[in-house]
């Protein structure tokens, strides 16, 4: 059957937001471990249950899943209403199927700190100066002291691109699902389309940052969403900085007598490069300005470097050897 969150908070199933806040305030203050030094183990367990119950019932999405499927469904694989991601998780939609839903309870101390404005206010709330937590002169306009919002760690996602896309530049659209919060702190799932303009010449490892596009949570600055360019393998070319490298397989006769390279460039042009010199195993033909665009100035390009894999014969007849010696001797 699972845990009865309504029973833990001592509220009925129709409890409103104010009822939940009153119940949590009362029970959290009663069972906080710092207030129960002589019964800390039991207090910690009850405090954790109270915090988890409040987290679920105060969030409309989690509460809807809990009401329909219970605790087991909430913490299992049940798709949430609207198929949005739960708080604390950002999902990337790839079209491979529905996103699964799994609720992981937050820290009880974090929930308490967000609710009361401090993770350990008892030195003020239960000490000699009951109003010390609220600053000097509560009636005189003092404000509650809260720790500065922390920045959530960045979320990184690779963005595979073909060599053609990195050569010509392209535009990619990515659909993300995340949680946003309203003025009251309630969160709701939304989907957004992010547009990424891939510039000609960008390299593997280039980062595109969308500031604060992670989930919105109380007292937390949302994560930056970072896409990192990755380069897909190409069947013909490999990239070396701003240069393009291609290897041609040729026979020994072609290496000695001349060879013409025929290539189709990444933007669809046909190149014909005749080579009349003798091609040695380490020979490299360089074609200027036929490499990758240089990102800072796409009107300029690196070079195309053509390497050769020469196929030598496995054996020669006596007549062939004699003929070669005669030719080379002259």
């Amino acid at each position: 059957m699972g845990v009865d969150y309504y029973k833990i908070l001592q509220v009925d199933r129709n409890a409103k937001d104010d009822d939940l806040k009153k119940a949590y305030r009362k029970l959290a203050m009663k069972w906080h471990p710092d207030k129960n030094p002589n019964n800390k183990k039991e207090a910690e367990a009850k405090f954790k249950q109270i915090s988890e119950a409040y987290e679920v019932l105060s969030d409309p999405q989690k509460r809807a899943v809990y009401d329909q499927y219970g605790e087991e469904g909430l913490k299992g694989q049940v798709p949430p209403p609207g198929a949005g991601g739960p708080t604390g998780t950002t999902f990337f939609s790839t079209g491979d199927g529905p996103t699964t839903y799994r609720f992981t309870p937050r820290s009880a101390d974090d929930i308490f700190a967000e609710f009361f404005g401090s993770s350990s206010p008892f030195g003020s709330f239960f000490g000699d100066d009951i109003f010390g937590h609220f600053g000097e002169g509560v009636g005189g306009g003092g404000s509650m002291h809260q720790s500065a919002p922390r920045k959530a760690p960045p979320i990184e996602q690779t963005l595979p691109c073909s060599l053609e896309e990195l050569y010509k530049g392209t535009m990619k659209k990515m659909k993300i699902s995340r949680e946003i919060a309203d003025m009251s702190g309630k969160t709701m799932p939304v989907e957004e389309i992010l547009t990424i303009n891939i510039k000609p010449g960008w390299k593997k490892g280039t980062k595109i940052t969308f500031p604060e596009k992670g989930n919105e949570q109380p007292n937390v600055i949302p994560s930056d969403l970072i896409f990192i360019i990755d380069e897909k393998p190409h069947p013909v070319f490999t990239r070396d900085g701003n240069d393009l490298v291609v290897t041609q397989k040729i026979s020994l006769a072609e290496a000695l007598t001349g060879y013409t390279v025929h290539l189709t460039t990444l933007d669809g042009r046909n190149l014909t490069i005749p080579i009349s010199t003798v091609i040695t195993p380490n020979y490299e033909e360089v074609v200027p300005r036929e490499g990758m665009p240089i990102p800072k100035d796409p009107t300029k390009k690196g070079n195309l470097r053509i390497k050769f894999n020469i196929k030598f014969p496995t054996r020669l007849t006596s007549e062939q050897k004699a003929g070669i010696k005669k030719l080379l001797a002259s």
Side-chain angles (χ1 to χ4, degrees), residues 245-257:
V245 181
V246 63
T247 299
Q248 295 274 293
K249 293 182 179 181
I250 62 174
S251 66
L252 178 58
E254 290 170 324
L256 294 174
T257 61

Side-chain angles (χ1 to χ4, degrees), residues 122-298:
F122 294 101
S124 300
F125 281 137
F126 300 111
D128 295 332
D129 182 10
I130 194 169
F131 297 111
H133 179 71
F134 295 98
E136 296 182 11
V138 173
S143 60
M144 181 181 289
H145 293 294
Q146 294 190 14
S147 58
R150 64 179 176 86
K151 175 79 170 182
I155 301 169
E156 295 187 344
Q157 177 82 0
T158 57
L159 183 62
C161 298
S162 67
L163 202 53
E164 286 86 354
E165 290 174 328
L166 296 175
Y167 181 88
K168 295 181 286 187
T170 188
M171 178 186 293
K172 288 184 176 286
K173 293 185 181 292
M174 301 293 290
K175 183 169 74 171
I176 65 168
S177 297
R178 68 187 189 110
E179 295 278 335
I180 62 171
D182 59 21
M183 294 298 291
S184 67
K186 294 292 185 181
T187 59
M188 61 179 293
V190 297
E191 290 186 345
E192 294 185 32
I193 303 294
L194 302 181
T195 300
I196 303 173
N197 290 310
I198 309 295
K199 300 296 179 62
W202 272 6
K203 298 177 181 178
K204 179 178 180 177
T206 300
K207 295 183 177 182
I208 308 100
T209 301
F210 291 87
E212 300 181 14
K213 281 297 183 181
N215 289 326
E216 296 180 1
Q217 302 176 54
N219 208 36
V220 177
I221 300 173
S223 303
D224 292 341
L225 181 53
I226 302 174
F227 291 95
I228 304 175
I229 297 294
D230 192 20
E231 184 182 298
K232 297 178 184 178
H234 194 273
V236 177
F237 300 100
T238 57
R239 184 175 184 173
D240 184 9
N242 293 320
D243 291 346
L244 287 173
V245 181
V246 63
T247 299
Q248 295 274 293
K249 293 182 179 181
I250 62 174
S251 66
L252 178 58
E254 290 170 324
L256 294 174
T257 61
Y259 180 75
T260 299
V261 178
H262 298 279
L263 286 173
T264 301
T265 63
L266 293 173
D267 57 353
R269 293 174 293 112
N270 293 319
L271 291 182
T272 300
I273 304 115
I275 301 172
S276 56
T277 59
V278 173
I279 300 173
T280 61
N282 295 322
Y283 179 82
E284 187 174 283
E285 180 77 9
V286 177
V287 184
R289 298 178 299 281
E290 285 293 350
M292 294 294 292
I294 297 173
K296 291 183 178 180
D297 185 0

